[in-house]
Amino acid sequence: MPLQQTKTAASKTQAPVNNTTPGQFIFGKDNYLWLIISIAIVAFGFVLMSGTTDIYSTTKIVIAPIVVLAGFGLGFYAILKKPTAK
């Protein structure tokens, strides 16, 4: 029982730790820029896919899916790219 009393007495005397260092982001600025660009490319690909006229057009069944996949590939690149060291 004396061991438990010393733990509580020690915890009361310790001052709370105040860490004021700013948090760091996981990705660098370049990573976020590439991620925003990839989201815009994917959105553009879905806009190319939308519409009601001529559902069998080359734009809708060939070009738009390639643009969407390229946007997803760029997103993976943005996630996996190592941030530059300062």
Side-chain angles (χ1 to χ4, degrees):
M1 203 64 164
L3 181 62
Q4 191 176 22
Q5 290 173 352
T6 58
K7 282 185 180 178
T8 57
S11 64
K12 288 180 184 177
T13 59
Q14 288 181 343
V17 178
N18 188 6
N19 291 338
T20 58
T21 58
Q24 293 181 349
F25 290 110
I26 295 174
F27 300 124
K29 186 177 179 181
D30 292 339
N31 296 76
Y32 286 114
L33 181 66
W34 283 112
L35 195 60
I36 290 170
I37 291 170
S38 72
I39 290 170
I41 290 173
V42 169
F44 179 68
F46 279 113
V47 167
L48 286 176
M49 247 186 265
S50 68
T52 58
T53 59
D54 195 20
I55 61 172
Y56 296 111
S57 70
T58 305
T59 303
K60 289 185 181 182
I61 62 173
V62 176
I63 296 172
I66 291 172
V67 170
V68 170
L69 289 175
F72 283 131
L74 191 62
F76 286 129
Y77 169 75
I79 292 170
L80 295 177
K81 182 179 179 289
K82 289 185 179 180
T84 56
K86 291 183 180 180

